[in-house]
Amino acid sequence: MLQKVLLMGKSGAGKTSMRSIIFANYLARDTMRLGATIDVEHSHVRFLGNLVLNLWDCGGQEAFMENYFESQRDHIFRNVQVLIYVFDIESRDLSKDIEYYASCLHAVRQNSKAAQIFCLVHKMDLIPEEQRDQVFLKRERELQSIAEPLELRIQCFKTSIWDETLYRAWSQMVYSLIPNRDSLQSHLEKLCAVCHADEVVLFERATFLVISNAVRSSHSDVHRHEKVSNIIKQFKLSCSKTQAQFSTMQVRNARYSAFIEGFTSTTYAMVIVSDPTIQPASTLINIEASRAHFESLIAQLNDVAPLRHNEQEPKNVVNARATGACRFGE
């Protein structure tokens, strides 16, 4: 399934840097050597097997932007599933940025009215921390006021390549493209319950973006998934430099046990367990027993038709504590 994603914004806003971090395994410091995008750079990113993101990274120089809205208007904005517009929070020409943004909204409304629209207020690390929320909310209200008369819904994120906010934004944007994602969510919740886990999180294998998560015990850190994504991805890059491959990670202490395991051919799973009566071996057996079921489930995600109820339920689930295990698909 091919999904057209437009990445737009003025030159220097940070579009190519964030794309390189998420999809090409760049470290933030390595993006300094990236040059400006010339016209449109096309790339196909395979996500969860059959989902392919047809990513159009559009150069933001004035000559290119004017061309997008005039001679290339239909070509650029036709059949768009997602528009991502990136704003440099310290742009020296905000009025021009807003003008281009408004032109994008009009073009999308004309050619791809059903497209989802996301706005990234980027380089927020340049704003003093105590002012970031206020600055972001002001910009968000301004962007919403432009979209509302066109009857378009937008979602805004504050982002920086230097922290977890970039992963959070891209995780939510990509998640919106996954068909039948409610089915995946319900199965993950069931796995979390039968394992007596505090939380189960599913990450896409290549990008380590969060696909889905199930929570049974609340946590105060709302950015914890993206922090894990960032840490593990950088650790994987360190492994590759020594010609080693990241496979699994376990952390155990007096408060909890955490397991990050290769789960399916396209995902990793993180399972957090704080109940001291649940043995680590039981959790590992549960993960192993559910792999085949989730492999089949994810393979069906890109089917157009929703999964039927009898296809959603595992054949047999045994709920067990301490030394037992849930067993999917037996």
Side-chain angles (χ1 to χ4, degrees):
M1 179 180 291
L2 196 65
Q3 302 273 13
K4 183 176 178 180
V5 179
L6 285 187
L7 186 57
M8 304 197 77
K10 281 189 64 182
S11 181
K15 304 181 297 298
T16 303
S17 293
M18 63 174 65
R19 173 172 66 88
S20 299
I21 290 171
I22 297 297
F23 297 112
N25 295 325
Y26 274 62
L27 296 175
R29 64 176 181 267
D30 295 334
T31 62
M32 301 297 181
R33 66 174 187 261
L34 292 171
T37 301
I38 304 301
D39 202 4
V40 180
E41 286 189 8
H42 300 272
S43 58
H44 285 72
V45 180
R46 189 168 293 277
F47 196 87
L48 285 182
N50 294 327
L51 178 61
V52 179
L53 305 183
N54 181 16
L55 191 58
W56 295 38
D57 184 355
C58 301
Q61 294 91 330
E62 186 171 350
F64 295 140
M65 295 293 278
E66 297 294 341
N67 197 32
Y68 302 150
F69 303 131
E70 295 174 4
S71 61
Q72 289 188 298
R73 187 183 185 93
D74 290 345
H75 174 63
I76 295 289
F77 292 98
R78 187 187 297 123
N79 300 322
V80 173
Q81 275 72 47
V82 172
L83 166 65
I84 302 170
Y85 198 98
V86 183
F87 289 90
D88 179 349
I89 192 59
E90 291 204 327
S91 172
R92 296 180 181 179
D93 193 356
L94 178 59
S95 60
K96 198 68 175 178
D97 224 351
I98 294 296
E99 178 187 332
Y100 288 151
Y101 165 69
S103 297
C104 281
L105 294 187
H106 282 279
V108 165
R109 186 176 186 272
Q110 180 183 3
N111 292 275
S112 304
K113 193 171 183 179
Q116 300 181 73
I117 302 171
F118 300 96
C119 296
L120 305 188
V121 183
H122 196 46
K123 302 185 182 181
M124 289 297 292
D125 56 284
L126 300 176
I127 304 298
E129 188 171 358
E130 66 276 8
Q131 299 176 23
R132 288 175 190 173
D133 287 344
Q134 181 182 357
V135 170
F136 171 72
L137 290 173
K138 180 181 178 181
R139 181 61 57 85
E140 182 181 38
R141 285 193 294 268
E142 185 174 7
L143 301 179
Q144 293 279 9
S145 69
I146 297 171
E148 285 173 0
L150 299 175
E151 299 180 339
L152 295 174
R153 296 179 60 185
I154 67 169
Q155 187 173 358
C156 298
F157 298 96
K158 53 184 174 184
T159 57
S160 167
I161 64 172
W162 300 103
D163 61 29
E164 67 280 352
T165 55
L166 186 66
Y167 281 88
R168 182 176 181 83
W170 276 90
S171 288
Q172 293 192 36
M173 291 188 296
V174 172
Y175 177 75
S176 70
L177 293 173
I178 302 174
N180 296 322
R181 53 189 177 270
D182 291 343
S183 175
L184 179 62
Q185 178 68 31
S186 66
H187 282 272
L188 207 63
E189 289 172 357
K190 187 164 189 176
L191 175 62
C192 187
V194 298
C195 291
H196 300 282
D198 296 50
E199 186 168 22
V200 178
V201 185
L202 212 57
F203 298 96
E204 199 273 334
R205 184 174 281 265
T207 62
F208 239 83
L209 294 175
V210 177
I211 298 169
S212 186
N213 74 293
V215 181
R216 294 177 65 246
S217 179
S218 60
H219 197 286
S220 58
D221 188 353
V222 297
H223 296 293
R224 61 194 182 279
H225 302 150
E226 292 72 33
K227 289 177 180 178
V228 171
S229 290
N230 205 1
I231 291 168
I232 297 298
K233 193 164 185 181
Q234 294 201 36
F235 180 67
K236 286 177 65 180
L237 290 174
S238 298
C239 290
S240 65
K241 290 178 182 178
T242 61
Q243 297 184 335
Q245 289 189 340
F246 174 79
S247 176
T248 181
M249 178 181 290
Q250 297 182 21
V251 178
R252 302 179 194 174
N253 56 38
R255 297 172 55 196
Y256 65 87
S257 295
F259 307 84
I260 299 177
E261 298 277 335
F263 193 45
T264 70
S265 60
T266 56
T267 65
Y268 278 90
M270 180 175 73
V271 181
I272 309 294
V273 180
S274 63
D275 187 342
T277 68
I278 304 297
Q279 298 296 319
S282 175
T283 302
L284 292 172
I285 292 172
N286 290 335
I287 293 172
E288 180 62 34
S290 60
R291 277 195 175 100
H293 176 74
F294 275 87
E295 187 76 61
S296 175
L297 181 65
I298 290 173
Q300 298 176 61
L301 283 180
N302 293 323
D303 290 346
V304 175
L307 302 178
R308 296 189 298 273
H309 178 75
N310 62 355
E311 292 175 339
Q312 294 180 4
E313 294 299 323
K315 296 178 183 178
N316 184 32
V317 175
V318 178
N319 190 350
R321 302 182 71 92
T323 58
C326 68
R327 304 186 69 82
F328 279 78
E330 289 193 344

